[in-house]
């Protein structure tokens, strides 16, 4: 887990496994976002989040999560879900390589009363998550899109 150590109340958390193809999308987005927002937001790369995701979100006013998704839509499709408005569907993140899935960790945090006031989840439809693979072309293209969307959203919230 890599963090920039910032004390910002906006926390960006990229989830995934760098060695599993498109599952690395969250980590790669976090790296680009760290460059884009500098120390104005805390940016975390989390390879094995699971229950630890609740700890990573704790204390933030706004949390933006990025993870690979599998809903059956075209690879590279970018989903934006507002988890602070209510439960998000398990149809976007039905299975995870993490100990517990992103949706499970968010809902557990909600039940325990530790969910940040605003939680935005970006899911990028994965194609190939086999070990040793690089990002597939549609997910590599979506990386640029999701980073741009999050920078725009960050700037809107930070203004």
């Amino acid at each position: 887990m890599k963090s920039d150590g910032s004390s910002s109340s906006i926390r960006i958390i990229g989830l995934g496994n760098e060695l599993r193809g498109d599952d690395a999308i969250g980590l790669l987005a976090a790296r680009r976002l760290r460059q884009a927002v500098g120390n104005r937001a805390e940016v975390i790369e989390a390879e094995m989040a699971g229950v630890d995701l609740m700890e990573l979100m704790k204390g933030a006013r706004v949390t933006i999560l990025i993870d690979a998704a599998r809903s059956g839509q075209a690879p590279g499709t970018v989903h934006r879900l507002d988890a602070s408005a209510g439960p998000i569907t398990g149809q976007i993140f039905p299975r995870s390589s993490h100990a517990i899935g992103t949706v499970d960790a968010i809902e557990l945090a909600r039940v325990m009363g530790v969910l940040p006031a605003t939680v935005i989840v970006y899911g990028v439809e994965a194609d190939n998550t086999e070990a040793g693979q690089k990002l597939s072309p549609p997910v590599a293209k979506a990386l640029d899109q999701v980073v741009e969307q999050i920078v725009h959203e960050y700037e809107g919230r930070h203004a």
Side-chain angles (χ1 to χ4, degrees), residues 4 9 15 32 34 39 43 48 74 105 111 135 143 147 156:
D4 67 2
S9 64
L15 302 168
R32 287 194 185 181
R34 183 174 291 121
N39 62 2
V43 180
M48 298 299 288
V111 168
L135 289 183
L143 176 60
V147 167

Side-chain angles (χ1 to χ4, degrees), residues 55-68:
E55 278 299 315
L56 296 176
M57 293 189 293
K58 195 181 290 183
R61 180 178 51 83
V62 176
T63 297
I64 299 173
L65 301 172
I66 311 121
D67 199 2

